[in-house]
Amino acid sequence: MKQILFAGVIGLFLTLVGTPLLIKLLARKGYGQYIRDDGPREHASKRGTPTMGGIAFILATVAAYFLSKVITTWTTDRSATPSFSGLLVLGLMVGMGLVGFLDDYIKIVKRRSLGLRAKAKMAGQLIVGIAFAVLALQFSDARGNTPASTKLSFITDFGWTIGPVLFVVWALFMILAMSNGVNLTDGLDGLATGASVLVFGAYTFIGVWQFQESCANAQTLTNPNACYEVRDPLDLAVVASALMGSCLGFLWWNTSPAKIFMGDTGSLALGGVLAGLAICSRTELLLALLGGLFVLITMSVVIQVGSFRLTGRRVFRMAPLQHHFELKGWSEVLVVVRFWIIQGICVIVGLGLFYAGWATDK
């Protein structure tokens, strides 16, 4: 349990201290944000703000994870070794972050406003996603559990086995959907970062709960019929805690008025790691509720595009949804805080269902 606290505190400290250094480096090189001309006029003042800030919390998360292992081993008699689940989820984050970094780099340095070509960007995401999905079905433990399962899951596995091929397709869908969802949400100062902190907090709790109620500890469980067959729940909680702390520290600099933006480097990484945590913790469908704000904003774009193509009319003044409310006269801070409240409600309801599933499975 100490690892979880160490990971969160270290991640928070590293981004609080390290992000200003990254801001200075990016500003010196002139790596500033490109702002859409058709967006809200208030956003014009953000042009040139350093971007690619996702580098800060990606590096901080990885460092916090491994340092928490070292410190825990040093302060206790037990060895705290990395797990396959934890390493795979971190690898997914880094891989998706690298794709986003290339996209940001081309936008800023090469002065190509659209960044990576659509096919190249998709190819990068597919390579990272497929590698994660294939490896997640390997490395079984003593109980035969691999980091991921070929069964669908809500608060635990259910239903039939879909097989490895369909699992890879399903995992890719989740990774791409969440990455694009976070990317669309990252349009206002601190919005995506703060919402992600709430979801990572939820996954820290879920990992701890699954560890305490693991089927591997059947003789000491309060409810043996509702145990969890998850390979490395405690280590997933360490990853989630490191992410929560790192994003919270980054939010100090990313909140309005933002001194730095996460860019595609950060948004693709956060979306990928959210999907990875859901897959490895057997809460795949629950992620749609825990990350409800990302789903809502993604659906606003789908509705807007679909309505315009079918009827020639727009449902919202502008999509994604946060810009619709800006054009209605809401201030940026008002939109962000109210959307954080919506995300908080989604997390509370999601955790309530997670607990209810355990309590009612007698």
Side-chain angles (χ1 to χ4, degrees):
M1 295 297 182
K2 290 182 179 179
Q3 295 178 61
I4 297 172
L5 178 61
F6 290 148
V9 171
I10 293 171
L12 174 64
F13 174 78
L14 290 177
T15 46
L16 278 175
V17 174
T19 303
L21 302 178
L22 180 62
I23 292 172
K24 291 179 181 179
L25 175 63
L26 295 174
R28 190 181 306 123
K29 291 183 174 293
Y31 292 173
Q33 176 68 35
Y34 167 80
I35 302 296
R36 293 168 51 183
D37 293 329
D38 59 344
R41 285 178 294 180
E42 293 80 2
H43 289 204
S45 62
K46 300 181 181 184
R47 184 174 283 109
T49 301
T51 186
M52 296 193 290
I55 295 172
F57 58 73
I58 291 173
L59 293 178
T61 298
V62 174
Y65 174 80
F66 285 104
L67 285 174
S68 70
K69 299 291 181 184
V70 173
I71 295 173
T72 302
T73 301
W74 181 55
T75 56
T76 66
D77 294 331
R78 294 182 299 174
S79 175
T81 57
S83 71
F84 287 111
S85 298
L87 293 176
L88 282 173
V89 172
L90 289 175
L92 178 60
M93 176 188 68
V94 173
M96 295 297 289
L98 179 59
V99 175
F101 173 80
L102 293 175
D103 190 43
D104 286 333
Y105 184 82
I106 291 173
K107 286 179 185 176
I108 297 166
V109 178
K110 302 298 182 181
R111 304 297 180 186
R112 188 197 300 168
S113 61
L114 295 179
L116 277 174
R117 304 295 184 189
K119 291 183 179 179
K121 189 173 183 179
M122 178 61 70
Q125 291 176 301
L126 289 176
I127 291 172
V128 174
I130 290 173
F132 168 81
V134 171
L135 291 174
L137 295 179
Q138 314 302 318
F139 312 112
S140 58
D141 62 9
R143 295 180 59 84
N145 291 322
T146 53
S149 168
T150 54
K151 290 185 177 182
L152 296 178
S153 61
F154 179 47
I155 56 176
T156 187
D157 286 343
F158 71 88
W160 60 93
T161 300
I162 61 175
V165 175
L166 286 180
F167 166 76
V168 171
V169 174
W170 170 240
L172 281 174
F173 169 77
M174 288 189 62
I175 293 167
L176 294 176
M178 286 308 301
S179 296
N180 289 315
V182 177
N183 186 256
L184 291 170
T185 304
D186 183 37
L188 301 182
D189 295 353
L191 178 57
T193 309
S196 297
V197 168
L198 294 172
V199 186
F200 292 135
Y203 271 109
T204 302
F205 170 82
I206 287 173
V208 172
W209 189 267
Q210 289 178 333
F211 173 73
Q212 293 177 338
E213 300 295 329
S214 172
C215 294
N217 306 321
Q219 294 181 347
T220 60
L221 297 181
T222 55
N223 187 2
N225 294 326
C227 64
Y228 299 94
E229 285 286 5
V230 178
R231 191 190 191 284
D232 306 296
L234 188 62
D235 211 42
L236 293 175
V238 174
V239 173
S241 178
L243 282 159
M244 179 175 62
S246 298
C247 287
L248 192 60
F250 181 76
L251 182 61
W252 182 270
W253 305 103
N254 181 232
T255 194
S256 182
K259 299 296 187 295
I260 188 171
F261 300 136
M262 69 170 68
D264 282 9
T265 305
S267 60
L268 295 186
L270 290 182
V273 78
L274 282 171
L277 286 170
I279 291 169
C280 290
S281 65
R282 312 291 204 269
T283 56
E284 296 160 357
L285 298 179
L286 185 64
L287 179 61
L289 184 53
L290 291 174
L293 180 64
F294 304 127
V295 175
L296 178 65
I297 288 176
T298 302
M299 290 307 300
S300 73
V301 175
V302 173
I303 292 169
Q304 184 85 324
V305 173
S307 175
F308 185 75
R309 289 183 177 179
L310 292 174
T311 67
R313 297 181 179 179
R314 292 180 173 87
V315 177
F316 308 105
R317 294 188 180 186
M318 184 178 178
L321 187 61
Q322 61 268 32
H323 299 316
H324 167 79
F325 289 102
E326 280 192 291
L327 294 179
K328 282 177 65 70
W330 291 19
S331 69
E332 180 174 4
V333 173
L334 181 62
V335 175
V336 170
V337 172
R338 286 183 173 173
F339 275 39
W340 281 350
I341 292 172
I342 292 172
Q343 178 57 52
I345 293 171
C346 290
V347 166
I348 291 170
V349 174
L351 288 178
L353 289 175
F354 176 79
Y355 176 77
W358 172 84
T360 58
D361 194 359
K362 300 291 186 179

